[in-house]
Amino acid sequence: MSIQYRLSRCDFQDTAGPLCSFASVYRVTLISLEGPTCEMLLCGEHVQKSWSVGTEVLQCRFPHLNLSLGSVRLDPVHRPNDMVGDEKRER
Ligand SMILES: [Zn+2]
C-alpha cells in the first residue's frame, strides 16, 4: 500500500529541456479567466515560475480554447515524515 505515498516529481519542463528531477513541494492550480483549470506539481525552485509558464501550460492542456491565466493557487504537498530526506538539495 506504499505506492500512494510515492513522491511525485516536479512537472516543470523547459522547452526541449529535460524534466525537472526534484520532488514536488507545491500543487499548483492554474485558473483561467475563462473557467477551465488545471493542476501541476512543482518543486520549490520552479514554483516561482508558475505564473510565467501558466498560460503556456493551459494552452498545452486545452489546445482548442484560447485561455488566459487568471490566477494561480498554491497548496503545499504533504508527505510522510520519513520521506523528507528526499527533499535535500546540494547547493
Ligand atoms: Zn522543478
Side-chain angles (χ1 to χ4, degrees):
M1 292 303 286
S2 65
I3 191 138
Q4 67 191 25
Y5 293 124
R6 195 182 51 185
L7 292 181
S8 300
R9 293 291 163 190
C10 173
D11 285 332
F12 186 87
Q13 188 169 23
D14 261 323
T15 316
L19 269 174
C20 173
S21 60
F22 290 130
S24 56
V25 290
Y26 286 101
R27 179 184 305 279
V28 178
T29 309
L30 303 167
I31 303 160
S32 68
L33 291 174
E34 291 81 1
T37 64
C38 70
E39 286 187 354
M40 62 194 299
L41 296 166
L42 292 177
C43 68
E45 192 90 8
H46 287 131
V47 77
Q48 298 163 29
K49 296 188 180 176
S50 55
W51 187 264
S52 57
V53 300
T55 304
E56 222 172 293
V57 173
L58 280 170
Q59 273 165 12
C60 190
R61 306 254 173 119
F62 303 98
H64 302 301
L65 309 173
N66 200 15
L67 302 177
S68 326
L69 185 58
S71 56
V72 172
R73 201 181 70 209
L74 302 180
D75 298 301
V77 174
H78 297 291
R79 62 171 63 116
N81 287 336
D82 62 348
M83 291 208 166
V84 166
D86 201 54
E87 232 178 286
K88 274 187 207 145
R89 285 198 239 158
E90 304 287 334
R91 278 260 173 215

